[in-house]
Amino acid sequence: DGVSPGFLVCPQGHIVHNWKARWFILRQNTLVYYKLEGGRRVTPPKGRIFLDGCTITCPCLEYENRPLLIKLKTQTSTEYFLEACSREERDAWAFEITGAIHAGQPGKVQQLHSLRNSFKLPPHISLHRIVDKMHDSSTGIRSSPNMEQGSTYKKTFLGSSLVDWLISNSFVASRLEAVTLASMLMEENFLRPVGVRSMGAIRSGDLAEQFLDDSTALYTFAESYKKKISPKEEINLSTVELSGMVVKQGYLAKQGHKRKNWKVRRFVLRKDPAFLHYYDPSKEENRPVGGFSLRGSLVSALEDNGVPTGVKGNVQGNLFKVITKDDTHYYIQASSKAERAEWIEAIKKLT
């Protein structure tokens, strides 16, 4: 009855944008969304987006600190902004929605499925021209301080941001082409990798893998390469906690400790050190609202028939539980059995 139901975050209200997590289901030509209350989706649906004649923009760069947006504009010019929790998820939703929009035109869907591997830069565009545009103060790519493994690197940008920028400026038609083009810019010394992740990709020597379309790989313009290591004594616990490599992220519902109410959170699983943090998707700042070390913790699926002990609300199944080393119990709900299994397996590897 449709594909990949799951949470996306969208602004509610036209004057004040309060970002709210909603449960979305893609049906044949409609995107239906529901509220979640007490761990269960509320029927009837909160709303519907009819996809016939819709245009989709992905990546949508209208909100500066929300890089994972998809914008849908309906035939009646109503605009919807939907935020995923990771690039993989954003691109998967965009792909499925685009398929649903073009379902009446099979040729279009075929086109979507075949990525053009043979990328050639159009003759009228030179690498110099792209780099000039990248440097443009209003429309270029923004450099800012970024952290990787406890070090701060000034004037850098993320690999995935450059890919988004190349696509939104129509230099390329797909992420694959953007990676090819960014690798060319590095070979010609217009760009430089900065930090462990992006340097490692160069050393692996595989040309295709040279540039990483990744939100943890940092790059800078070759001529303004400055790096500042934060003094060791300034590194507080949370910096260390958040310095691990991101293994998995996604929206899950979590039961609160005090009021036992269910809230949708963006969960991020990191390793070395192994931590599970969760963020409030309605907030702009990118600071976790909670988290815990996975060392010595236990994770298990909960029965789907009836409400397990410790769980409040009329939940709709797919629950699992993490018990930390200091015996704190976390009750978490995934959006499908498969998703629950993936999370349990990923967490088990790190306990």
Side-chain angles (χ1 to χ4, degrees):
D1 97 62
V3 292
S4 61
F7 293 109
L8 292 167
V9 176
C10 43
Q12 303 294 311
H14 292 289
I15 324 273
V16 182
H17 278 340
N18 291 323
W19 294 78
K20 297 256 193 292
R22 295 284 177 252
W23 175 264
F24 278 78
I25 295 178
L26 178 59
R27 304 220 187 270
Q28 212 169 352
N29 58 356
T30 315
L31 203 48
V32 188
Y33 55 97
Y34 299 82
K35 278 173 78 169
L36 186 85
E37 266 172 25
R40 206 175 178 81
R41 68 167 195 254
V42 181
T43 48
K46 181 99 174 101
R48 287 186 162 78
I49 304 170
F50 294 103
L51 297 174
D52 290 341
C54 247
T55 53
I56 181 169
T57 310
C58 176
C60 162
L61 307 171
E62 289 188 31
Y63 289 86
E64 205 170 294
N65 29 5
R66 291 187 175 269
L68 300 174
L69 284 181
I70 296 168
K71 176 168 134 182
L72 291 175
K73 192 173 182 181
T74 65
Q75 260 180 329
T76 56
S77 291
T78 309
E79 291 185 342
Y80 293 91
F81 294 92
L82 310 175
E83 184 180 46
C85 68
S86 66
R87 279 204 358 278
E88 295 71 26
E89 200 171 293
R90 177 194 70 185
D91 295 345
W93 274 100
F95 183 83
E96 297 288 359
I97 292 169
T98 309
I101 292 172
H102 296 308
Q105 313 152 259
K108 262 288 179 26
V109 182
Q110 288 294 264
Q111 227 175 313
L112 280 173
H113 279 273
S114 60
L115 271 172
R116 297 205 315 235
N117 278 315
S118 53
F119 173 63
K120 298 269 182 294
L121 198 61
H124 63 283
I125 294 178
S126 70
L127 291 180
H128 282 280
R129 197 186 133 195
I130 294 173
V131 175
D132 285 344
K133 192 153 183 194
M134 283 171 71
H135 276 290
D136 187 292
S137 56
S138 56
T139 57
I141 184 151
R142 297 221 165 87
S143 314
S144 58
N146 281 294
M147 275 195 74
E148 189 196 41
Q149 299 192 357
S151 304
T152 303
Y153 299 91
K154 285 182 169 176
K155 289 198 171 172
T156 51
F157 39 85
L158 311 174
S160 53
S161 305
L162 179 57
V163 170
D164 290 350
W165 184 88
L166 289 168
I167 293 172
S168 62
N169 282 280
S170 307
F171 287 122
V172 290
S174 71
R175 303 195 79 82
L176 195 66
E177 291 185 3
V179 168
T180 314
L181 177 52
S183 297
M184 286 162 74
L185 289 167
M186 280 208 303
E187 280 163 40
E188 299 297 321
N189 291 327
F190 288 115
L191 292 184
R192 253 207 193 136
V194 180
V196 187
R197 187 97 171 75
S198 56
M199 297 288 277
I202 295 271
R203 291 197 196 99
S204 73
D206 177 0
L207 199 68
E209 283 294 302
Q210 273 221 324
F211 181 87
L212 299 175
D213 173 8
D214 191 305
S215 55
T216 60
L218 303 180
Y219 296 88
T220 188
F221 291 118
E223 67 274 18
S224 63
Y225 179 68
K226 284 190 186 61
K227 157 177 145 168
K228 170 184 162 293
I229 302 282
S230 60
K232 280 286 173 275
E233 58 272 18
E234 266 185 33
I235 294 183
N236 58 16
L237 189 64
S238 70
T239 313
V240 176
E241 267 185 34
L242 297 170
S243 67
M245 190 180 136
V246 174
V247 183
K248 185 172 176 55
Q249 53 183 323
Y251 290 125
L252 297 164
K254 173 189 158 300
Q255 181 174 276
H257 287 294
K258 294 191 185 81
R259 303 224 316 270
K260 306 286 184 210
N261 53 344
W262 288 87
K263 293 229 168 91
V264 176
R265 295 290 181 243
R266 177 167 68 89
F267 277 79
V268 179
L269 180 63
R270 293 181 174 88
K271 69 170 187 186
D272 307 325
F275 270 85
L276 186 58
H277 290 97
Y278 48 96
Y279 299 73
D280 183 344
S282 64
K283 298 275 188 289
E284 291 286 347
E285 73 265 13
N286 200 15
R287 279 201 304 270
V289 289
F292 48 91
S293 165
L294 290 173
R295 185 158 297 163
S297 63
L298 297 167
V299 58
S300 59
L302 296 175
E303 284 301 317
D304 280 343
N305 44 4
V307 177
T309 349
V311 172
K312 277 272 185 356
N314 184 8
V315 289
Q316 58 196 33
N318 305 316
L319 294 166
F320 63 98
K321 172 163 90 165
V322 183
I323 305 174
T324 63
K325 203 173 172 182
D326 63 8
D327 202 37
T328 310
H329 292 227
Y330 289 87
Y331 295 96
I332 301 167
Q333 179 175 314
S335 48
S336 66
K337 275 199 169 46
E339 189 189 32
R340 172 173 69 179
E342 279 173 24
W343 274 100
I344 290 175
E345 192 179 327
I347 291 170
K348 269 189 178 152
K349 281 183 186 157
L350 302 179
T351 58

